Amino acid sequence: MLWAEYDPLANRRLAILSPEGQMDEGWRPSELDDEALLHLYDRMVALRQADLLALNLQRAGRMGTYAPTLGQEAANIGSAALLQAEDWLVPSFRETGAMLLKGVSLKLIYLYWMGCEWGSHFPEEVRVLPICAPVSTQTLHGVGLSWAAQLKGENWVTLIYLGDGGTSKGDFHEAMNFAGTFQTPTVFFIQNNQFAISVPRTRQTASATLAQKAIAYGFPGIQVDGNDLMAVYLATREAVARARAGQGPCLIEAQTYRMGPHTTADDPTRYRSEAELKTQERFDPLLRVRLYLENRGLVNPETEAAREAQHLKWAQEQAREAEAAISYNPDEIFDYHFAELPPYLAEQKAYCQRFLAAKGESAHGQA
């Protein structure tokens, strides 16, 4: 088992596909033939294009604050690829690729970041919880779903995402303790992108790894190269199989790097250097898979230019659909908190209505 061989206390980290696109073929999972691997790579490219477009939309004033996934494509795609239809995916706020792979449309994800509540209303058959901005609170929800599987005698697994900063929150430790105590079918997946907004990993915990935090709660943890699609895939495959077999929870720490800002409201130049960012570019998860596929003659510059253009067009179409679906009623800001509005909120509501009227807008959008 990977868990025994890659003990985080022994400073062992699972890494298979090198930044240069080299890999011992003995590590390649049998189910990942060329067609399957190309599909996962294609999903990574689609995520990259959707992510870059979202940044442009935000800068153009067509989207609200957005949390980019740039540099974390392998962690997103390599993990979510192992889930079945009945499994639950519990995101934080940097799992666009995982959500897409599980069946959430890009239109809905864009709607969420455009500030529209309907972006969180997924089809009932899509077992994905809404994006969760409050750090680590989703870990408790996810363990609750896992416990529900036990109580109902069902066989689903819950994959819970969080960042390295989330491991400093009490919610995370409560969720870990509950999962360990009740041996719930839970996989905790930490996208350790080295920063909790501006706080570096080294200032967040004295633990040598985040993976070893699982040991205190009675279940295994493993650290993997989060920019390595193969390592992420293999670790998650074993973790999901273990949970589904009734062997309890486990934790995966995917060491990656956040290439963009924490969100579009953040200025990363205030806490990291251009030289550091430049150094990390050679570890780009997309690049190493592309190099591997190029070495096998499966892709070339022409196919990749066409692939990127195709996915950019798709993302643009999804953005247009999202914008066309937006309708808003500012009255709702005030109407759903009290049975009867307090005077101070009634005054604010009236002011809002006067303000919109002066701009030539109705309460439901453009007049």
Side-chain angles (χ1 to χ4, degrees):
M1 287 181 62
L2 291 176
W3 310 101
E5 187 174 353
Y6 290 90
D7 181 357
L9 291 178
N11 200 27
R12 295 290 309 280
R13 186 182 79 156
L14 178 63
I16 299 170
L17 184 62
S18 75
E20 295 74 31
Q22 302 298 317
M23 179 179 68
D24 180 347
E25 289 297 319
W27 278 99
R28 182 169 169 175
S30 58
E31 70 270 20
L32 278 187
D33 58 16
D34 287 348
E35 182 180 357
L37 184 56
L38 270 169
H39 172 69
L40 294 184
Y41 168 71
D42 183 78
R43 295 300 84 203
M44 291 173 68
V45 175
L47 171 57
R48 176 71 59 93
Q49 292 302 312
D51 192 58
L52 293 174
L53 178 63
L55 280 170
N56 289 334
L57 291 171
Q58 194 280 331
R59 299 308 189 203
R62 294 166 60 190
M63 183 178 284
T65 301
Y66 175 72
T69 58
L70 186 65
Q72 297 178 220
E73 292 87 357
N76 266 244
I77 301 301
S79 55
L82 278 303
L83 295 182
Q84 298 178 6
E86 68 269 20
D87 296 329
W88 279 95
L89 187 153
V90 180
S92 58
F93 50 83
R94 211 181 302 277
E95 284 77 37
T96 298
M99 294 172 70
L100 288 170
L101 209 57
K102 195 66 169 68
V104 179
S105 71
L106 183 60
K107 169 189 169 181
L108 288 178
I109 296 172
Y110 278 170
L111 266 177
Y112 170 86
W113 293 109
M114 289 173 179
C116 181
E117 176 191 350
W118 292 104
S120 295
H121 289 241
F122 308 146
E124 188 173 340
E125 69 275 9
V126 176
R127 290 192 155 190
V128 179
L129 290 192
I131 292 170
C132 187
V135 176
S136 254
T137 57
Q138 78 281 0
T139 58
L140 295 168
H141 309 153
V143 172
L145 286 169
S146 299
W147 193 34
Q150 287 183 321
L151 295 175
K152 293 166 68 72
E154 301 287 350
N155 198 35
W156 72 66
V157 171
T158 304
L159 178 58
I160 303 173
Y161 290 92
L162 66 151
D164 46 297
T167 65
S168 298
K169 296 295 293 292
D171 307 75
F172 166 72
H173 294 277
E174 292 173 20
M176 294 273 283
N177 187 54
F178 194 100
T181 301
F182 291 92
Q183 289 293 287
T184 60
T186 312
V187 178
F188 294 91
F189 192 93
I190 302 171
Q191 293 202 76
N192 177 5
N193 64 19
Q194 309 306 318
F195 293 98
I197 307 182
S198 60
V199 181
R201 154 71 178 82
T202 53
R203 296 292 301 275
Q204 296 177 53
T205 178
S207 296
T209 70
L210 300 180
Q212 71 193 59
K213 292 181 182 290
I215 298 170
Y217 296 103
F219 55 89
I222 188 172
Q223 187 182 73
V224 306
D225 180 349
N227 289 348
D228 178 346
L229 178 68
M230 293 295 187
V232 172
Y233 182 93
L234 279 174
T236 311
R237 183 181 70 171
E238 191 160 310
V240 168
R242 185 180 182 279
R244 203 182 305 281
Q247 297 175 19
C250 49
L251 182 148
I252 299 169
E253 176 194 354
Q255 284 193 310
T256 180
Y257 191 85
R258 196 192 75 214
M259 299 295 289
H262 172 71
T263 70
T264 48
D266 172 43
D267 178 9
T269 63
R270 298 178 63 184
Y271 53 85
R272 71 180 182 195
S273 68
E274 189 65 30
E276 177 183 337
L277 187 60
K278 197 71 177 174
T279 299
Q280 290 295 329
E281 287 178 356
R282 68 177 290 264
F283 301 107
D284 183 338
L286 207 60
L287 175 62
R288 69 176 71 183
V289 182
R290 180 178 297 175
L291 289 172
Y292 175 78
L293 294 172
E294 283 180 352
N295 291 337
R296 294 179 62 83
L298 297 172
V299 301
N300 57 56
E302 290 73 27
T303 63
E304 294 323 289
R307 190 188 308 275
E308 290 178 0
Q310 174 191 356
H311 289 314
L312 175 59
K313 181 181 178 182
W314 159 73
Q316 290 169 333
E317 290 171 351
Q318 292 286 292
R320 284 193 290 269
E321 289 185 20
E323 289 178 316
I326 292 176
S327 64
Y328 63 93
N329 181 356
D331 287 355
E332 293 176 354
I333 299 172
F334 307 96
D335 288 346
Y336 297 106
H337 298 283
F338 299 91
E340 184 175 340
L341 270 185
Y344 73 95
L345 284 181
E347 181 182 350
Q348 291 179 28
K349 179 179 178 181
Y351 174 83
C352 181
Q353 291 171 336
R354 291 195 302 272
F355 176 81
L356 291 174
K359 290 184 64 179
E361 297 184 20
S362 70
H364 297 272
Q366 296 294 326

